[in-house]
Every structure is written in C-alpha cells, then in structure tokens.
Amino acid sequence: MLPLIFWSALCLTTPVVAGRCKNAPLDVTWPSETDWSSLNASIGGHLLRIVPVAASCWPNSIESHISCNTFYQPDSIDYPIYANNSCLPPNVTGYVHDRGCTTGGLPAYIVNATTEIQIATAMSGVMRALVEGRVVTTGQDPSVGLGLTYGLDASHVLQIRVVTTQGETLVANDAQHQDLFWALRGGGPGLYGVVTDYVLRHHPAPSNALPDLVDAGLAGACMMSTGEAAVRFASLSEATTGVVISQVFWSFNSTSFAMEALVRPVLTRIGRESTPNSGSSAVTITFSTSNLANYTSFISVISGSSAAGSQSVISSRLLGRRELLDTVHTDMTSYLKTALQVQNATAGTFATIGLQGGPGVQQTPPGDWGALLPAWHTACLHFIANGATVDSVTAGSSKRALQDAARWYEAKEHMWQLWAPEAGAYMNETNPFDPEFKRDFYGANYDRLVQVKAKYDLTESLFVLAGVGSDRWDYDLDSGRLCRVS
Ligand SMILES: *[C@@H]1O[C@H](CO)[C@@H](O)[C@H](O)[C@H]1NC(C)=O
Ligand SMILES: *[C@@H]1O[C@H](CO)[C@@H](O)[C@H](O)[C@H]1NC(C)=O
Ligand SMILES: *[C@@H]1O[C@H](CO)[C@@H](O)[C@H](O)[C@H]1NC(C)=O
Ligand SMILES: *[C@@H]1O[C@H](CO)[C@@H](O)[C@H](O)[C@H]1NC(C)=O
Ligand SMILES: *[C@@H]1O[C@H](CO)[C@@H](O)[C@H](O)[C@H]1NC(C)=O
Ligand SMILES: *[C@@H]1O[C@H](CO)[C@@H](O)[C@H](O)[C@H]1NC(C)=O
Ligand SMILES: *[C@@H]1O[C@H](CO)[C@@H](O)[C@H](O)[C@H]1NC(C)=O
Ligand SMILES: *[C@@H]1O[C@H](CO)[C@@H](O)[C@H](O)[C@H]1NC(C)=O
C-alpha cells in the first residue's frame, strides 16, 4: 500500500539578500508582480496570495470568502502568537482591536501544489531566481504514534520521496540517500525538503477484535491541575487549594472489570497512605470506567479542542525508569513543585503526563530508529508542564510575550536538567526557547543532522524555530526578518 500525499503547501517568503538577512516584501529586491505571475504560470496557477484565516472577521481588510466562523486555510497554524498574532478573530486571547488584520508575520504566498512537478518547479530554477529564500513547509513529522503496541511511527517508514530546495526529487531508503532517509525519520520537521510520499509498514487499526493486542498492556494520560484550571478541567463546583489529579488509562481488548482490577489496588493504597491515623483523608478519590467500540471513537475521545487563538508556551521532558525510580523522594517532591509552579496562582496551571513506551518501542531494532531522539526508546512518561502567563496584549507584542515566557521557564528548564540530564524532550511539544535544544531535542544525532541538512538544503532555505541549524539565524517577530546571526 502506497499512501500518496499529494497536497503540500509551501509558504514562500524571503530570499537571501546579499548578506545577512533573507529578503522581505518591502525590500527593493523582493520579486515584482511580473516575477510572481511567471512563477504562478510555471506551476499551473497554483500560487496563492495569502488570505489570513480570520480576514472575513475584519470588514474592509483583505478580501476573504470564508465566513468568520469557519477557519480553514493552509496558512492556519496552531499557535498564532508565533505568527505575531497578525490576524486574530475578535475576542480571542491576544486580540487587540486597533491592530486590525494584516499579513504581518504570516507567509506572503503559498504554493498549493498538487503534483511533485509543481513542488520541484517552485523549489528549483524559477523559484530560486525569484525568491531564493525561506520555504516553510506544512506537514506532519512522522515520529510518534502508537508507541505502546507497534513502536513509534518513525520506525515503520520504509521509503520517502522528497523534493529538495534545489528542485531535485530524491527517493530515500535503505539503499540510497541513506543519510537523508535517516534524518527524515525523527530528525525534525520541515528541515530537509518537502516530503511527497511515505511508504509505511502497515498495521491493522487496533480494535477489540484483534487478538494481537493482548500484550499491549496499559496506556494513558494523567493531568495535574491547580487554581481555576482545576475547576475547568475537573469540572469542580468550586476552587480548591490543592492539586487535582486525573488519570485516564486505556487498554485494547480489555474490559472495565479487568481495568478496575488493575487500578483499584493502587487507589486503595493511595487512600490508605494519605489517611492519617486520626481518620479523615486529605485526598478524595473518584473512579469510573467506560468502553469504546473502536479506534475512531477512542481517538475522538482523547483529542482536544481546536478553538482558535491559543497562546501557550510549555516545557516538557521524556522521563524514563531511571528518572522515576532512582530519584530521591525529597528531590522528586521538589522537582514536581517546580513543574507545577505558576505565574498566576488564581488562574492556576496544569501538567499533562502521557504514558509512553511499552513493548512496541522497546522491541524496535536500533536500525529502525532513524534520527529520533534516543530518549524515546527508554521513556516511560512524557511530562508537559505549563504555568507561564503568555499575554501579548500586556507585554505589548508577541515577541515580548514569548521572550518573557522563555525567561520565566528558565527555572523549569533548570529543574529538568537536574532531574533528567540525560533524557530530552519531544521537540513538537515543548519549549522552543530551551537553550539546550540541540542536546534536548536531537541528542547525539545533532551534529550528523547538521551535515545532512547542509548537504540537501544548500541554500539554507528551510528554517524552523529550534530546528537543526536554527542557531545560525534569528527570526524577529517585530520586523518579520530572518537574519543570519553575526
Ligand atoms: C495564479 O493563477 C491562478 C490562475 O490563473 C489565479 O487564479 C491566481 O489568483 C494566481 N495567483 C496569484 C497569487 O496571483
Ligand atoms: C467582542 O467582545 C465585545 C465586548 O465584550 C463585544 O461587544 C463584541 O460583540 C464581541 N465581538 C464578537 C465578534 O464576538
Ligand atoms: C508584530 O506585532 C507588533 C505589535 O504587537 C507590530 O508592532 C509589528 O509591526 C508586527 N510585525 C510584523 C512583521 O507584523
Ligand atoms: C488547493 O488545491 C486543491 C486541489 O486542486 C483544491 O481542492 C483546493 O481548493 C486548493 N486550496 C486552496 C486554498 O485554494
Ligand atoms: C482478547 O483477550 C482475551 C483474553 O483476555 C483473549 O482470549 C482473546 O483472544 C483476545 N482477543 C479477542 C479477539 O477477544
Ligand atoms: C465506531 O463506533 C461508533 C460508536 O459506536 C460508531 O458510530 C462508528 O460508526 C464506528 N466506526 C467504525 C469505523 O467502525
Ligand atoms: C490572574 O488570573 C485571574 C483569573 O484568570 C485573572 O482574573 C487575573 O487578571 C490574572 N492576573 C494577572 C496579573 O494576570
Ligand atoms: C504536535 O503537537 C501538537 C500540539 O500539541 C499536536 O496537536 C500534534 O498532534 C503533534 N503532532 C505530532 C506528530 O505528534
């Protein structure tokens, strides 16, 4: 089975100006309308001028045919603060009425490619002549997935087709372009080229009808919350001064009865240990189980909301057996307190802790690991902490709000370095301002990934925050400029 991914959006923004910065729309060297038209003609009219998703919420701004309530366009990104909150729908976090709606930090153009040839044409000669610069690709990084049962997605990729920034289409597998094949499996998103096709090892979707999942064991996620966040997440009727912990477990081909048999003894022990001799417990425990008919319903139950306008910055760590079992109790207590520290105690905070690992990951042969951070193979928990108040309105700009959050998270980053110096973090769900991002996101693979990137992206056209080689560049949200660090 060959899953063909024939849709890809390239956001062409900025060419290299002789020297330090890539080209930007107001530069004299920015391609003319005629240049853009000829690029458009060479790719079958697939060039789109950006229309920010929320443009229709702003009368008299950029023309849009999408209603204010239904945002979907290739430019949409999860966290608009990273695009300088350039065109927010009214009243979401970060919204300032006077700012209106601009292209601002969003890409100026998008190539809505439907064929590999269009991608190659856009990337190669014509595009380089026009805009030799930054190309941001959208798409998923095939690194994580059903770890517990089958191992991580990156371990099941057999072949990848990729269009490079030079416009070459390469087939990467165990026999050719092995270095690129390795890097594309876990070595960071959008850094090496545009992937048009993955060949994946196929597995049946888990369902209660599959005998091969009996060995899968228990997976799940835990949430710890405080303040108003606890009221919201745990549907409390009033605020509490303590921590609310909700732990969800899931298991395939199991029953409520079997799950309860596993979980009850643990709850009984927690209840007993938290009850002093005087009798009344400091802990309240509630527990319930449910069954889901199939994998589709399961995914929809555990998936979050897709509301617009999120502004968070998080900090996370992959924790293994060593960090969980060999850490002195008092140290552990202090680390957890730091993890739950919050800037605004009234608002409160939350931490989510995913159960990772399992036999699938552990049994993956090292040859199938790709460039994935090695800590994935020993991780038991993916611990995501929050707590910073990310408020671009009070801070005055998205740039300053992100800088403030980065500074506030220094204490948490320091705590992870003490607790789990050898582990690392999942680059897609962590603090992109982690000063140790090379070691924490890529580990021992970093230097080799730099070489692979230099070989396939000769013009350094692909830039990703905290991506491989990103320390050579500075992206300034205020000016919208990507400049080489001197
Ligand atoms: C590209 O060409 C198509 C077809 O002619 C047109 O609809 C589209 O608006 C053009 N794109 C730009 C950015 O001009
Ligand atoms: C935004 O909030 C203001 C003040 O609460 C309200 O008057 C306005 O109707 C809201 N706008 C939208 C589009 O919801
Ligand atoms: C980013 O937003 C700030 C205001 O928060 C604004 O001054 C600046 O011009 C914006 N930059 C871009 C590139 O849109
Ligand atoms: C992108 O191209 C596809 C296929 O031609 C088309 O269905 C889709 O509407 C296009 N998207 C936009 C935003 O123009
Ligand atoms: C599910 O698990 C039970 C054991 O609990 C096993 O007997 C059965 O074969 C498994 N598969 C199916 C399809 O029920
Ligand atoms: C999954 O289960 C739900 C609820 O029972 C049902 O509506 C849906 O059709 C099922 N989907 C598949 C793919 O079997
Ligand atoms: C703290 O959070 C509360 C509740 O969300 C909010 O009302 C208050 O304005 C926040 N304080 C600051 C300083 O941000
Ligand atoms: C990356 O992180 C986002 C936000 O947490 C999440 O929605 C998405 O599923 C993640 N992607 C992958 C491939 O894990």
Side-chain angles (χ1 to χ4, degrees), residues 223-227 230 236 240-246 282-284 340 349:
M223 181 180 284
M224 299 192 207
S225 50
T226 64
L236 303 182
T240 159
T241 51
V243 178
V244 175
I245 300 177
S246 57
V283 176
T284 312
L340 284 178
T349 185

Side-chain angles (χ1 to χ4, degrees), residues 7 46 48 65 72-74 112-114:
W7 185 89
H46 283 252
L48 307 176
H65 55 273
Y72 179 74
Q73 275 272 286
N112 183 18
T114 51

